[in-house]
Amino acid sequence: MAARHNFRKLTIWKDGISIVKDTYIETKKFPKSEVYALSSQMQRCSISIPSNIAEGTSKGTDKHFTQYLETALGSAYEWETQLIISFEVGYISEETFKHLENKIQITQGMITRFMENLKKA
């Protein structure tokens, strides 16, 4: 069965990829002691966002797709928490924090609205 949605065309997927790239850029600047801790966790979390969106597009029903979107949304909230921690411990600047916080919150809202639209369909 072909996917009902082309994940490569979804703005939420594209934004997720952008968050992954931002994550790798910023976590490279973290102390080496964070390689297997916060850096790794943020990277895995960010990767989970677009990965679950992509995997969800392969599902046969909107109900199943929504479950993957919920996982992606959960990862987005988890990533936001890790972003806050990164700022609080001084690993990122306030300017970077505000930019990325805004970006993730926009993505969270878009995923939420996408799920709501699938439920209406």
Side-chain angles (χ1 to χ4, degrees):
M1 174 193 309
R4 294 180 45 212
H5 299 275
N6 181 343
F7 68 88
R8 290 175 180 254
K9 293 183 179 181
L10 295 175
T11 302
I12 55 175
W13 180 82
K14 292 175 187 176
D15 287 353
I17 293 294
S18 179
I19 289 167
V20 172
K21 291 191 281 189
D22 289 339
T23 300
Y24 275 84
I25 289 167
E26 292 305 318
T27 57
K28 280 183 185 178
K29 302 172 191 173
F30 286 14
K32 295 294 178 208
S33 62
E34 290 293 350
V35 168
Y36 299 108
L38 188 57
S39 295
S40 176
Q41 186 63 26
M42 285 187 80
Q43 291 166 1
R44 286 182 283 131
C45 241
S46 68
I47 290 168
S48 175
I49 298 167
S51 296
N52 275 288
I53 292 166
E55 187 173 358
T57 63
S58 73
K59 301 306 170 188
T61 67
D62 287 343
K63 181 180 179 182
H64 286 116
F65 185 15
T66 299
Q67 291 173 329
Y68 283 85
L69 292 171
E70 287 172 349
T71 300
L73 184 60
S75 293
Y77 280 106
E78 183 179 353
W79 186 88
E80 183 180 6
T81 298
Q82 294 159 4
L83 178 69
I84 292 166
I85 293 166
S86 299
F87 174 66
E88 292 290 329
V89 298
Y91 293 165
I92 59 172
S93 69
E94 184 173 359
E95 179 182 350
T96 298
F97 171 72
K98 287 182 178 182
H99 169 72
L100 294 176
E101 179 185 44
N102 183 58
K103 193 171 188 174
I104 195 66
Q105 289 174 349
I106 288 169
T107 301
Q108 291 162 349
M110 289 185 348
I111 294 170
T112 300
R113 285 187 296 282
F114 194 88
M115 289 188 315
E116 289 168 354
N117 287 335
L118 284 178
K119 289 176 184 176
K120 290 177 187 175

